[in-house]
Amino acid sequence: MSSELIQLVKQSFVERFKTDPILIFSPGRINIIGEHTDYNDGYVFPAAINKGIAAAIQKSDSGTCTAIALDLNSTVEFELDKLKPVKEGSWENFVFGVVAEIQNSNKALGNFNIVFKGNIPGGAGMSSSAALENSVVFGLNELFQLGLTKQEMILISQKAEHNYVGVNCGIMDQYASMFGIENSALHLDCRTVESQPYEINFEDHELMLINTNVKHSLSDSAYNDRRSVCEDISSLLGIKALRDATETDLKAIVDKVTPENYHKALFVIQENARTIKAAKAIKSNNLDSLGALIYESHMGLSTQYKVSCDELDFLVAQAKKNELVLGARMMGGGFGGCTINLIAKNETKNFAKEVSKAYKNKFGKDCSVYFVKLSQGTHIVN
Ligand code: GLA
């Protein structure tokens, strides 16, 4: 439970720093559909969830800053004017990146201490990274009264990811984590960075996550490579982003790109169209149609965009065999992490059992099943 997580973080902070902190909860996210469309200025459909990062933060009078990652039992002391990215894959980059990017935006910070802990598994495609970045920027904004808007804060989190973590991510994760609304998913236009909330109530169906427990690492150049391909094709087409292209536009340059890259761009154009259709399906409560779009999304991610893996493909294939699972696909950047499944409520137990057994047989390891609540975005906890 998140309240226990918050208590734990608070207690550790008080024991260590002997003062009362400001407490922040910053959620992870799911994404119903619209994958790898965000950095193409397209549409996505994420929602903040009731799992994420709890952080405790307060000013420090010791002359330096201290950050403690409770999950990793790891502490770092640092000075505000000497920040540089550290080794790729280190948790410190999330904190250092946000602090540095706040300072780059000409806001003055004082020394501070922060303790944090999460209840989403890292590398599961549920955006523990964005949750952490947002908790730091939100906490510092409050602590030093920086006057940053939520829009400014998510851009700082995103820059931290680009310049310190090394992933050229889009804006979906930071946006969903910051702007989440209870019981709602956000149909976000990543060009205007504005969203429409859709109340999600699938009645006798629900969303179920299955974690392959294969940890993806987005800083793996694969993610950044995909983004470069999209940008190259956009400039060939003379447009700002693939969001502006149609399949016909793409066909006109088929001779100028490799077949692999052609299929990647085609995927983005189609996925963006699927996301718009999904919004309509949700509005009219047409779950069969939503489910079909979700399956198509996976097919594209796997065979065209090539960001899936055997474990994810296997979980989706198992879902397809069960007619009470209306849709299933990999979620997030890919190469591991979770699938998201649209399933009849009365089938969840049975499917979880079936799929867990089959997965274990096939890969000799366990998958994990989660249910999440759609929840509010990054906030102060009193
Ligand atoms: C990661 C990135 C997002 C987005 C997804 C894929 O989660 O952080 O910006 O690109 O992958 O949809």
Side-chain angles (χ1 to χ4, degrees):
M1 262 308 292
S2 296
S3 55
E4 284 162 26
L5 187 72
I6 291 159
Q7 277 318 309
L8 244 161
V9 165
K10 179 176 180 186
Q11 204 185 331
S12 309
F13 190 97
V14 173
E15 270 168 25
R16 170 75 193 250
F17 299 109
K18 317 283 180 236
T19 153
D20 265 341
I22 297 176
L23 299 170
I24 292 125
F25 186 75
S26 187
R29 60 110 189 88
I30 57 165
N31 185 25
I32 298 176
I33 196 164
E35 221 63 88
H36 292 274
T37 44
D38 63 347
Y39 52 82
N40 288 295
D41 276 6
Y43 287 95
V44 291
F45 221 136
I49 55 175
N50 59 334
K51 288 178 188 287
I53 300 279
I57 191 166
Q58 194 44 276
K59 291 180 184 167
S60 151
D61 50 20
S62 72
T64 58
C65 303
T66 302
I68 304 180
L70 280 186
D71 285 323
L72 303 169
N73 200 8
S74 175
T75 301
V76 63
E77 234 181 75
F78 58 96
E79 286 169 45
L80 290 172
D81 55 355
K82 296 203 179 93
L83 290 171
K84 281 200 301 286
V86 293
K87 198 173 140 262
E88 196 179 292
S90 309
W91 66 268
E92 289 92 330
N93 284 331
F94 296 101
V95 179
F96 293 175
V98 168
V99 173
E101 295 300 344
I102 290 177
Q103 298 186 115
N104 288 344
S105 70
N106 283 325
K107 297 278 181 186
L109 291 175
N111 289 318
F112 68 94
N113 299 315
I114 185 167
V115 175
F116 66 89
K117 183 174 171 62
N119 59 3
I120 22 177
M126 292 155 84
S127 290
S128 54
S129 320
L132 174 55
E133 290 150 2
N134 281 354
S135 74
V136 178
V137 69
F138 200 90
L140 290 172
N141 187 48
E142 189 68 24
L143 195 59
F144 294 105
Q145 296 292 305
L146 302 177
L148 294 166
T149 63
K150 286 185 174 183
Q151 285 282 354
E152 289 169 328
M153 287 194 261
I154 63 172
L155 293 177
I156 286 172
S157 291
Q158 187 192 29
K159 277 191 194 148
E161 187 94 23
H162 289 183
N163 300 331
Y164 273 70
V165 181
V167 181
N168 290 328
C169 65
I171 198 66
M172 168 169 73
D173 303 350
Q174 290 78 12
Y175 186 97
S177 166
M178 184 67 76
F179 287 94
I181 299 176
E182 233 177 74
N183 301 323
S184 304
L186 306 172
H187 192 225
L188 169 65
D189 179 338
C190 296
R191 170 161 282 165
T192 59
V193 198
E194 281 170 6
S195 70
Q196 290 292 325
Y198 279 61
E199 203 186 325
I200 301 296
N201 176 5
F202 294 142
E203 289 163 9
D204 46 1
H205 285 77
E206 66 184 318
L207 296 170
M208 167 176 165
L209 304 179
I210 311 177
N211 193 351
T212 57
N213 291 318
V214 176
K215 285 206 178 195
H216 70 175
S217 159
L218 287 183
S219 39
D220 262 351
S221 51
Y223 182 93
N224 294 345
D225 285 353
R226 296 297 181 287
R227 184 168 182 159
S228 310
V229 167
C230 294
E231 286 168 356
D232 291 349
I233 297 185
S234 295
S235 54
L236 259 179
L237 287 166
I239 53 177
K240 184 161 174 277
L242 283 181
R243 182 250 177 83
D244 300 315
T246 62
E247 291 189 35
T248 317
D249 298 334
L250 187 63
K251 268 192 203 125
I253 59 155
V254 64
D255 298 336
K256 299 203 175 90
V257 294
T258 64
E260 291 74 25
N261 290 349
Y262 181 84
H263 280 287
K264 290 195 176 87
L266 184 60
F267 163 77
V268 171
I269 295 168
Q270 293 174 339
E271 179 75 354
N272 197 46
R274 277 191 285 270
T275 308
I276 296 167
K277 284 188 198 150
K280 292 196 182 118
I282 291 179
K283 202 149 245 167
S284 57
N285 213 21
N286 188 343
L287 296 189
D288 286 328
S289 153
L290 177 64
L293 291 164
I294 292 175
Y295 275 131
E296 279 170 32
S297 168
H298 184 78
M299 188 56 108
L301 286 158
S302 179
T303 63
Q304 297 172 290
Y305 214 59
K306 299 210 185 299
V307 289
S308 186
C309 64
D310 290 347
E311 289 87 346
L312 287 165
D313 289 344
F314 180 81
L315 290 179
V316 172
Q318 292 300 115
K320 265 198 181 143
K321 284 192 208 160
N322 185 325
E323 59 183 25
L324 297 174
V325 186
L326 302 184
R329 65 176 198 85
M330 55 148 275
M331 188 178 78
F335 306 106
C338 291
T339 61
I340 180 166
N341 301 262
L342 177 60
I343 180 172
K345 279 184 181 158
N346 60 15
E347 181 60 10
T348 52
K349 262 204 186 129
N350 180 46
F351 181 59
K353 209 170 123 195
E354 248 176 42
V355 85
S356 303
K357 195 172 151 205
Y359 190 83
K360 179 94 185 207
N361 271 341
K362 171 87 181 175
F363 297 107
K365 60 188 173 203
D366 291 316
C367 59
S368 317
V369 172
Y370 317 122
F371 295 94
V372 291
K373 282 209 185 88
L374 309 192
S375 306
Q376 73 176 122
T378 309
H379 60 278
I380 305 272
V381 183
N382 292 316

